[in-house]
Coordinates of all heavy atoms in Angstrom, one line a residue:
M1 N -4.6 -14.9 25.9 CA -3.3 -15.0 26.5 C -2.3 -15.7 25.6 O -1.2 -15.3 25.5 CB -3.4 -15.8 27.9 CG -2.1 -15.9 28.6 SD -1.4 -14.3 29.1 CE -1.8 -14.3 30.8
V2 N -2.8 -16.8 24.9 CA -2.0 -17.5 24.0 C -1.5 -16.6 22.9 O -0.4 -16.6 22.4 CB -2.7 -18.8 23.5 CG1 -1.9 -19.5 22.4 CG2 -2.9 -19.8 24.6
A3 N -2.5 -15.8 22.3 CA -2.1 -14.9 21.2 C -1.1 -13.9 21.7 O -0.2 -13.6 20.9 CB -3.4 -14.2 20.8
I4 N -1.2 -13.4 22.9 CA -0.2 -12.4 23.4 C 1.2 -13.1 23.4 O 2.2 -12.5 23.0 CB -0.6 -11.8 24.7 CG1 -1.9 -11.0 24.6 CG2 0.5 -11.0 25.4 CD1 -2.5 -10.6 25.9
V5 N 1.2 -14.3 24.0 CA 2.5 -15.0 24.1 C 3.1 -15.2 22.7 O 4.3 -15.0 22.4 CB 2.4 -16.3 24.8 CG1 3.6 -17.1 24.8 CG2 2.0 -16.0 26.3
L6 N 2.3 -15.7 21.7 CA 2.7 -16.0 20.4 C 3.2 -14.7 19.7 O 4.2 -14.7 19.0 CB 1.6 -16.6 19.6 CG 1.3 -18.1 19.9 CD1 0.1 -18.6 19.1 CD2 2.5 -19.0 19.8
M7 N 2.5 -13.6 19.9 CA 2.9 -12.3 19.2 C 4.3 -11.9 19.8 O 5.1 -11.3 19.1 CB 1.9 -11.3 19.4 CG 0.7 -11.4 18.5 SD 1.1 -11.4 16.8 CE 1.5 -9.7 16.6
S8 N 4.4 -12.0 21.1 CA 5.7 -11.6 21.7 C 6.9 -12.5 21.3 O 8.0 -12.0 21.0 CB 5.6 -11.6 23.3 OG 5.5 -12.9 23.7
L9 N 6.6 -13.8 21.1 CA 7.7 -14.6 20.6 C 8.0 -14.3 19.1 O 9.2 -14.3 18.7 CB 7.3 -16.1 20.7 CG 7.2 -16.7 22.1 CD1 6.7 -18.1 22.1 CD2 8.6 -16.6 22.7
A10 N 7.0 -14.0 18.3 CA 7.2 -13.7 16.9 C 7.8 -12.3 16.7 O 8.5 -12.1 15.7 CB 5.8 -13.7 16.2
S11 N 7.7 -11.4 17.7 CA 8.2 -10.1 17.5 C 9.7 -10.0 17.8 O 10.4 -9.0 17.6 CB 7.5 -9.1 18.4 OG 7.7 -9.3 19.7
V12 N 10.3 -11.1 18.3 CA 11.8 -11.1 18.5 C 12.5 -10.9 17.2 O 13.5 -10.2 17.2 CB 12.2 -12.5 19.2 CG1 13.7 -12.6 19.2 CG2 11.6 -12.6 20.6
A13 N 12.0 -11.4 16.1 CA 12.7 -11.2 14.8 C 12.7 -9.8 14.4 O 13.7 -9.3 13.8 CB 12.0 -12.0 13.7
V14 N 11.7 -9.0 14.8 CA 11.7 -7.6 14.5 C 12.8 -6.8 15.2 O 13.5 -6.0 14.6 CB 10.3 -6.9 14.9 CG1 10.3 -5.4 14.7 CG2 9.2 -7.6 14.0
A15 N 13.0 -7.2 16.5 CA 14.1 -6.6 17.2 C 15.5 -6.9 16.6 O 16.4 -6.1 16.5 CB 14.1 -7.0 18.7
V16 N 15.7 -8.2 16.2 CA 16.9 -8.6 15.6 C 17.1 -7.9 14.3 O 18.2 -7.4 14.0 CB 16.9 -10.1 15.4 CG1 18.1 -10.5 14.5 CG2 16.9 -10.8 16.7
A17 N 16.1 -7.8 13.4 CA 16.2 -7.1 12.1 C 16.5 -5.6 12.3 O 17.3 -5.0 11.6 CB 14.9 -7.2 11.3
A18 N 15.9 -5.0 13.3 CA 16.2 -3.5 13.6 C 17.6 -3.4 14.1 O 18.3 -2.4 13.7 CB 15.2 -3.0 14.7
T19 N 18.1 -4.3 14.8 CA 19.5 -4.2 15.3 C 20.5 -4.4 14.1 O 21.5 -3.6 14.0 CB 19.8 -5.3 16.3 OG1 18.9 -5.2 17.4 CG2 21.2 -5.3 16.8
V20 N 20.2 -5.3 13.2 CA 21.0 -5.4 12.0 C 21.0 -4.2 11.2 O 22.0 -3.7 10.7 CB 20.6 -6.7 11.2 CG1 21.3 -6.7 9.8 CG2 20.9 -7.9 11.9
L21 N 19.8 -3.6 11.0 CA 19.7 -2.4 10.2 C 20.4 -1.2 10.9 O 21.1 -0.5 10.2 CB 18.2 -2.0 10.1 CG 17.9 -0.8 9.2 CD1 18.3 -1.0 7.8 CD2 16.4 -0.5 9.3
G22 N 20.3 -1.1 12.2 CA 21.0 -0.1 12.9 C 22.6 -0.2 12.8 O 23.3 0.7 12.6
D23 N 23.0 -1.5 12.8 CA 24.5 -1.7 12.7 C 25.0 -1.4 11.3 O 26.1 -1.0 11.1 CB 24.8 -3.2 13.0 CG 24.7 -3.5 14.5 OD1 24.6 -2.5 15.3 OD2 24.6 -4.7 14.9
L24 N 24.2 -1.7 10.3 CA 24.7 -1.5 8.9 C 24.4 -0.1 8.3 O 24.9 0.2 7.3 CB 24.0 -2.6 8.0 CG 24.4 -4.0 8.3 CD1 23.6 -5.0 7.4 CD2 25.9 -4.3 8.2
S25 N 23.6 0.7 9.0 CA 23.3 2.0 8.5 C 24.4 3.0 8.9 O 25.0 2.9 9.9 CB 22.0 2.5 9.1 OG 20.9 1.7 8.7
P26 N 24.6 4.0 8.0 CA 25.6 5.0 8.3 C 25.0 5.8 9.5 O 23.8 5.9 9.7 CB 25.6 5.9 7.1 CG 25.0 5.1 6.0 CD 24.1 4.1 6.6
P27 N 25.9 6.3 10.4 CA 25.4 7.0 11.6 C 24.4 8.1 11.4 O 23.4 8.3 12.2 CB 26.7 7.5 12.3 CG 27.8 6.7 11.7 CD 27.3 6.3 10.4
D28 N 24.5 8.8 10.3 CA 23.6 9.9 10.0 C 22.3 9.5 9.4 O 21.4 10.3 9.2 CB 24.2 11.0 9.2 CG 24.7 10.5 7.8 OD1 24.9 9.3 7.7 OD2 24.8 11.3 6.9
R29 N 22.1 8.2 9.1 CA 20.9 7.7 8.5 C 20.1 6.7 9.3 O 19.1 6.1 8.9 CB 21.2 7.0 7.1 CG 21.9 7.9 6.1 CD 21.0 8.8 5.4 NE 20.0 8.0 4.7 CZ 18.9 8.5 4.3 NH1 18.6 9.8 4.4 NH2 18.0 7.7 3.7
V30 N 20.6 6.4 10.5 CA 20.0 5.3 11.4 C 18.5 5.7 11.6 O 17.7 4.8 11.4 CB 20.8 5.2 12.7 CG1 20.0 4.2 13.6 CG2 22.2 4.6 12.4
G31 N 18.2 6.9 12.0 CA 16.9 7.2 12.4 C 15.9 7.1 11.2 O 14.8 6.6 11.3
T32 N 16.4 7.6 10.0 CA 15.6 7.6 8.8 C 15.3 6.1 8.4 O 14.2 5.7 8.1 CB 16.3 8.3 7.7 OG1 16.5 9.7 8.1 CG2 15.4 8.3 6.4
N33 N 16.4 5.3 8.4 CA 16.3 3.9 8.0 C 15.4 3.1 9.0 O 14.5 2.3 8.5 CB 17.6 3.3 7.9 CG 18.4 3.8 6.7 OD1 17.9 4.4 5.8 ND2 19.7 3.6 6.7
L34 N 15.5 3.4 10.3 CA 14.7 2.7 11.2 C 13.2 3.1 11.1 O 12.3 2.3 11.3 CB 15.2 2.8 12.6 CG 16.4 2.0 13.0 CD1 16.9 2.4 14.4 CD2 16.2 0.6 12.9
G35 N 13.0 4.4 10.8 CA 11.6 4.9 10.6 C 11.0 4.2 9.4 O 9.8 3.8 9.5
R36 N 11.7 4.1 8.3 CA 11.1 3.4 7.1 C 10.8 1.9 7.5 O 9.8 1.3 7.1 CB 12.1 3.4 6.0 CG 12.0 4.7 5.3 CD 12.8 4.6 3.9 NE 13.1 6.0 3.5 CZ 14.3 6.4 3.3 NH1 15.3 5.6 3.3 NH2 14.5 7.6 2.9
F37 N 11.8 1.3 8.2 CA 11.7 -0.1 8.5 C 10.4 -0.3 9.4 O 9.6 -1.2 9.1 CB 12.9 -0.6 9.3 CG 12.8 -1.9 9.9 CD1 13.0 -3.1 9.2 CD2 12.5 -2.1 11.3 CE1 12.9 -4.3 9.8 CE2 12.5 -3.3 11.9 CZ 12.6 -4.4 11.1
R38 N 10.2 0.5 10.4 CA 9.0 0.4 11.3 C 7.7 0.7 10.5 O 6.7 0.0 10.7 CB 9.1 1.4 12.5 CG 10.2 1.0 13.5 CD 9.9 -0.4 14.1 NE 8.6 -0.6 14.5 CZ 8.1 -0.5 15.8 NH1 9.0 -0.3 16.7 NH2 6.9 -0.7 16.1
F39 N 7.8 1.7 9.6 CA 6.5 2.0 8.9 C 6.1 0.8 8.0 O 5.0 0.3 8.1 CB 6.8 3.2 8.0 CG 5.6 3.5 7.1 CD1 4.4 4.1 7.6 CD2 5.6 3.1 5.7 CE1 3.4 4.3 6.8 CE2 4.5 3.4 4.9 CZ 3.4 4.0 5.4
F40 N 7.0 0.2 7.2 CA 6.7 -0.9 6.4 C 6.4 -2.2 7.1 O 5.6 -3.0 6.8 CB 7.7 -1.1 5.3 CG 7.6 0.0 4.2 CD1 8.6 1.0 4.1 CD2 6.6 0.0 3.3 CE1 8.5 2.0 3.2 CE2 6.5 0.9 2.3 CZ 7.4 1.9 2.2
G41 N 7.1 -2.3 8.3 CA 6.9 -3.5 9.1 C 5.5 -3.4 9.7 O 4.7 -4.4 9.7
D42 N 5.1 -2.3 10.2 CA 3.7 -2.1 10.8 C 2.7 -2.3 9.7 O 1.6 -2.8 10.0 CB 3.6 -0.8 11.5 CG 4.4 -0.7 12.8 OD1 4.9 -1.7 13.3 OD2 4.7 0.4 13.3
L43 N 2.9 -1.7 8.5 CA 2.0 -1.9 7.4 C 1.8 -3.4 7.1 O 0.7 -3.9 6.8 CB 2.5 -1.1 6.2 CG 1.6 -1.0 5.0 CD1 0.4 -0.1 5.4 CD2 2.3 -0.3 3.9
G44 N 2.9 -4.1 7.1 CA 2.8 -5.6 6.9 C 2.1 -6.3 7.9 O 1.3 -7.3 7.7
F45 N 2.2 -5.9 9.2 CA 1.5 -6.5 10.3 C 0.0 -6.3 10.1 O -0.8 -7.1 10.6 CB 1.9 -6.0 11.7 CG 3.1 -6.6 12.2 CD1 4.2 -5.9 12.8 CD2 3.3 -8.0 12.2 CE1 5.3 -6.5 13.3 CE2 4.4 -8.6 12.7 CZ 5.4 -7.9 13.3
I46 N -0.4 -5.1 9.5 CA -1.8 -4.8 9.3 C -2.4 -5.5 8.1 O -3.4 -6.2 8.1 CB -2.0 -3.3 9.3 CG1 -1.7 -2.7 10.6 CG2 -3.5 -3.0 8.9 CD1 -1.6 -1.2 10.6
L47 N -1.7 -5.3 6.9 CA -2.2 -5.8 5.7 C -1.9 -7.3 5.4 O -2.7 -7.9 4.7 CB -1.6 -5.0 4.5 CG -1.9 -3.5 4.4 CD1 -1.2 -2.9 3.3 CD2 -3.4 -3.4 4.3
G48 N -0.9 -7.8 6.0 CA -0.6 -9.3 5.8 C -1.7 -10.2 6.2 O -2.1 -11.0 5.4
P49 N -2.2 -10.1 7.4 CA -3.3 -11.0 7.8 C -4.6 -10.8 6.9 O -5.3 -11.8 6.6 CB -3.6 -10.7 9.3 CG -2.3 -10.1 9.8 CD -1.7 -9.4 8.6
V50 N -4.9 -9.5 6.6 CA -6.0 -9.3 5.7 C -5.9 -9.9 4.4 O -6.8 -10.6 3.9 CB -6.3 -7.7 5.6 CG1 -7.4 -7.4 4.6 CG2 -6.6 -7.1 7.0
M51 N -4.7 -9.8 3.8 CA -4.5 -10.4 2.5 C -4.5 -11.9 2.5 O -5.1 -12.5 1.6 CB -3.2 -9.8 1.9 CG -3.2 -8.4 1.6 SD -1.6 -7.7 1.1 CE -1.2 -8.7 -0.3
V52 N -3.8 -12.5 3.5 CA -3.8 -13.9 3.6 C -5.2 -14.5 3.9 O -5.5 -15.5 3.4 CB -2.8 -14.4 4.7 CG1 -2.8 -15.9 4.9 CG2 -1.4 -14.0 4.2
T53 N -6.0 -13.7 4.6 CA -7.4 -14.2 4.9 C -8.1 -14.2 3.6 O -8.9 -15.2 3.3 CB -8.1 -13.2 5.9 OG1 -7.4 -13.3 7.1 CG2 -9.5 -13.6 6.1
G54 N -8.0 -13.2 2.7 CA -8.6 -13.2 1.4 C -8.2 -14.4 0.5 O -9.0 -15.0 -0.1
I55 N -6.9 -14.6 0.6 CA -6.4 -15.7 -0.2 C -6.9 -17.1 0.3 O -7.2 -18.0 -0.4 CB -4.8 -15.7 -0.3 CG1 -4.4 -14.5 -1.1 CG2 -4.2 -17.0 -0.8 CD1 -2.9 -14.2 -1.0
Y56 N -7.0 -17.2 1.6 CA -7.5 -18.4 2.3 C -8.9 -18.6 1.9 O -9.3 -19.8 1.6 CB -7.4 -18.3 3.8 CG -7.8 -19.5 4.5 CD1 -6.9 -20.5 4.7 CD2 -9.1 -19.6 5.0 CE1 -7.4 -21.7 5.4 CE2 -9.5 -20.7 5.7 CZ -8.6 -21.8 5.9 OH -9.1 -22.9 6.6
E57 N -9.7 -17.6 1.8 CA -11.1 -17.7 1.5 C -11.3 -18.1 0.0 O -12.2 -18.9 -0.3 CB -11.9 -16.4 1.7 CG -12.1 -16.2 3.2 CD -12.9 -14.9 3.5 OE1 -13.2 -14.1 2.5 OE2 -13.2 -14.7 4.6
T58 N -10.5 -17.6 -0.9 CA -10.6 -17.8 -2.3 C -9.8 -19.1 -2.8 O -10.3 -19.8 -3.6 CB -10.2 -16.6 -3.2 OG1 -8.9 -16.3 -2.9 CG2 -11.1 -15.4 -2.9
G59 N -8.6 -19.2 -2.2 CA -7.8 -20.3 -2.7 C -7.6 -21.5 -1.8 O -7.1 -22.5 -2.2
G60 N -8.1 -21.3 -0.5 CA -8.0 -22.4 0.4 C -6.7 -22.4 1.3 O -5.9 -21.5 1.1
R61 N -6.6 -23.4 2.1 CA -5.5 -23.4 3.1 C -4.2 -23.6 2.4 O -3.2 -23.0 2.8 CB -5.7 -24.6 4.1 CG -4.7 -24.7 5.1 CD -4.8 -25.9 6.0 NE -6.2 -25.9 6.6 CZ -6.7 -26.9 7.2 NH1 -6.0 -28.0 7.3 NH2 -7.9 -26.9 7.7
A62 N -4.1 -24.4 1.4 CA -2.8 -24.6 0.7 C -2.3 -23.4 0.1 O -1.1 -23.1 0.2 CB -3.0 -25.7 -0.3
A63 N -3.1 -22.6 -0.6 CA -2.7 -21.4 -1.2 C -2.2 -20.4 -0.2 O -1.1 -19.7 -0.4 CB -3.8 -20.8 -2.1
A64 N -2.9 -20.2 0.9 CA -2.5 -19.3 1.9 C -1.2 -19.7 2.5 O -0.2 -18.9 2.8 CB -3.6 -19.1 3.0
S65 N -1.0 -21.0 2.8 CA 0.2 -21.5 3.4 C 1.4 -21.4 2.5 O 2.5 -21.1 2.9 CB 0.0 -23.0 3.8 OG -1.0 -23.1 4.8
L66 N 1.2 -21.7 1.2 CA 2.3 -21.5 0.2 C 2.7 -20.1 0.1 O 3.9 -19.8 0.0 CB 1.8 -22.1 -1.1 CG 1.8 -23.6 -1.2 CD1 1.2 -24.1 -2.5 CD2 3.2 -24.2 -1.0
L67 N 1.8 -19.2 0.1 CA 2.1 -17.8 0.0 C 3.0 -17.4 1.2 O 4.1 -16.7 1.1 CB 0.9 -16.9 0.0 CG 1.2 -15.4 0.0 CD1 1.8 -14.9 -1.3 CD2 -0.1 -14.6 0.3
V68 N 2.6 -17.7 2.4 CA 3.3 -17.3 3.6 C 4.7 -18.0 3.6 O 5.7 -17.4 3.9 CB 2.5 -17.7 4.9 CG1 3.4 -17.5 6.1 CG2 1.3 -16.8 5.0
A69 N 4.7 -19.3 3.3 CA 6.0 -20.0 3.3 C 6.9 -19.5 2.2 O 8.1 -19.3 2.4 CB 5.8 -21.5 3.0
G70 N 6.4 -19.1 1.0 CA 7.2 -18.6 0.0 C 7.7 -17.2 0.3 O 8.9 -16.9 0.0
L71 N 7.0 -16.4 1.0 CA 7.4 -15.1 1.5 C 8.6 -15.3 2.5 O 9.6 -14.6 2.4 CB 6.3 -14.3 2.2 CG 6.6 -12.9 2.7 CD1 7.1 -12.0 1.5 CD2 5.4 -12.3 3.4
L72 N 8.4 -16.2 3.4 CA 9.5 -16.5 4.4 C 10.8 -16.9 3.7 O 11.9 -16.5 4.1 CB 9.0 -17.5 5.5 CG 8.0 -17.0 6.4 CD1 7.5 -18.1 7.3 CD2 8.5 -15.9 7.3
V73 N 10.7 -17.9 2.8 CA 11.8 -18.4 2.1 C 12.5 -17.3 1.3 O 13.7 -17.1 1.2 CB 11.5 -19.6 1.2 CG1 12.6 -20.0 0.3 CG2 11.1 -20.8 2.1
G74 N 11.6 -16.5 0.6 CA 12.2 -15.4 -0.2 C 12.9 -14.3 0.6 O 14.0 -13.9 0.2
V75 N 12.3 -14.0 1.7 CA 13.0 -13.0 2.6 C 14.3 -13.5 3.2 O 15.3 -12.9 3.2 CB 12.1 -12.5 3.7 CG1 12.8 -11.7 4.7 CG2 10.9 -11.7 3.1
G76 N 14.3 -14.8 3.6 CA 15.5 -15.4 4.1 C 16.6 -15.5 3.0 O 17.7 -15.2 3.3
A77 N 16.2 -15.9 1.8 CA 17.2 -16.0 0.7 C 17.7 -14.6 0.4 O 18.9 -14.4 0.2 CB 16.5 -16.6 -0.5
A78 N 16.9 -13.6 0.3 CA 17.3 -12.2 0.1 C 18.3 -11.7 1.1 O 19.3 -11.1 0.8 CB 16.1 -11.3 -0.1
A79 N 17.9 -12.0 2.4 CA 18.8 -11.6 3.5 C 20.2 -12.3 3.4 O 21.2 -11.7 3.6 CB 18.2 -11.9 4.8
A80 N 20.2 -13.6 3.1 CA 21.4 -14.3 3.0 C 22.2 -13.8 1.8 O 23.5 -13.8 1.9 CB 21.1 -15.8 2.8
W81 N 21.6 -13.4 0.8 CA 22.3 -13.0 -0.5 C 22.8 -11.6 -0.4 O 23.9 -11.2 -0.8 CB 21.4 -13.2 -1.7 CG 22.0 -12.8 -3.0 CD1 21.9 -11.6 -3.6 CD2 22.8 -13.6 -3.8 NE1 22.6 -11.7 -4.8 CE2 23.2 -12.9 -4.9 CE3 23.3 -14.9 -3.7 CZ2 24.0 -13.4 -5.9 CZ3 24.1 -15.4 -4.7 CH2 24.4 -14.6 -5.8
L82 N 21.9 -10.7 0.2 CA 22.2 -9.2 0.1 C 22.9 -8.6 1.4 O 23.6 -7.6 1.2 CB 20.9 -8.5 -0.1 CG 20.2 -8.8 -1.4 CD1 18.8 -8.2 -1.5 CD2 21.0 -8.4 -2.6
L83 N 22.7 -9.2 2.5 CA 23.3 -8.6 3.7 C 24.8 -9.0 3.8 O 25.2 -10.1 3.6 CB 22.6 -9.1 5.0 CG 21.2 -8.6 5.3 CD1 20.6 -9.3 6.5 CD2 21.2 -7.1 5.4
P84 N 25.6 -8.0 4.1 CA 27.0 -8.3 4.2 C 27.3 -9.0 5.5 O 26.7 -8.9 6.5 CB 27.7 -6.9 4.2 CG 26.6 -6.0 4.7 CD 25.3 -6.6 4.3
E85 N 28.4 -9.9 5.4 CA 28.8 -10.6 6.6 C 29.6 -9.7 7.4 O 30.4 -8.9 7.0 CB 29.7 -11.8 6.1 CG 30.1 -12.7 7.3 CD 29.0 -13.3 8.0 OE1 28.0 -13.8 7.4 OE2 29.0 -13.1 9.3
T86 N 29.4 -9.7 8.7 CA 30.0 -8.8 9.6 C 31.2 -9.4 10.4 O 31.9 -8.7 11.1 CB 29.0 -8.2 10.6 OG1 28.4 -9.2 11.3 CG2 28.0 -7.3 9.9
R87 N 31.3 -10.7 10.4 CA 32.4 -11.3 11.2 C 33.7 -11.3 10.3 O 33.6 -11.3 9.1 CB 32.1 -12.7 11.7 CG 31.9 -13.7 10.6 CD 31.5 -15.0 11.2 NE 30.7 -15.7 10.3 CZ 31.2 -16.7 9.5 NH1 32.4 -17.1 9.6 NH2 30.4 -17.2 8.6
R88 N 34.8 -11.2 11.0 CA 36.1 -11.1 10.2 C 36.8 -12.4 10.2 O 36.8 -13.1 11.2 CB 36.9 -10.0 10.9 CG 36.3 -8.7 10.9 CD 37.1 -7.7 11.7 NE 36.3 -6.6 12.0 CZ 36.6 -5.4 11.6 NH1 37.7 -5.1 11.0 NH2 35.8 -4.3 11.9
V89 N 37.3 -12.7 9.1 CA 38.1 -14.0 9.0 C 39.5 -13.6 9.4 O 40.1 -12.7 8.9 CB 38.1 -14.5 7.5 CG1 38.9 -15.7 7.4 CG2 36.6 -14.7 7.1
R90 N 40.1 -14.4 10.3 CA 41.5 -14.2 10.7 C 42.4 -15.0 10.0 O 42.3 -16.1 9.6 CB 41.5 -14.4 12.2 CG 40.7 -13.4 13.0 CD 40.8 -13.7 14.4 NE 39.8 -12.9 15.1 CZ 40.0 -12.2 16.1 NH1 41.1 -12.1 16.7 NH2 39.0 -11.5 16.7

């Protein structure tokens, strides 16, 4: 039950990212872009834990934690740098 609750809380970011992608995509490319997004997102949900488990086994807790933290910081920085701002300055 705890795992289900945690997964549902963590999946909120996926819905937000899909909304941003849908808003920024040209109308004729929304379906294609969302399809790619879901494919690679689902692939990450499958391969991510497997890869981090292998790193945890070989490098320990610190290596696995640094990898996950680095990935989160990298994606956050890339989003802040690359995504256009949508609010208008008056």
Side-chain angles (χ1 to χ4, degrees):
M1 181 65 104
V2 172
I4 292 170
V5 170
L6 289 175
M7 285 299 290
S8 67
L9 290 174
S11 67
V12 171
V14 174
V16 171
T19 302
V20 170
L21 182 63
D23 287 346
L24 296 177
S25 294
D28 61 334
R29 301 280 303 161
V30 172
T32 302
N33 291 344
L34 286 175
R36 281 191 200 124
F37 172 79
R38 287 303 310 258
F39 174 77
F40 286 105
D42 291 345
L43 192 63
F45 277 136
I46 294 168
L47 294 180
V50 173
M51 292 173 59
V52 172
T53 299
I55 292 169
Y56 182 85
E57 286 181 354
T58 58
R61 182 184 306 167
S65 298
L66 285 173
L67 174 72
V68 172
L71 181 64
L72 290 172
V73 169
V75 168
W81 182 264
L82 298 172
L83 288 176
E85 184 59 50
T86 56
R87 66 186 152 97
R88 297 170 197 243
V89 178
R90 295 181 192 226

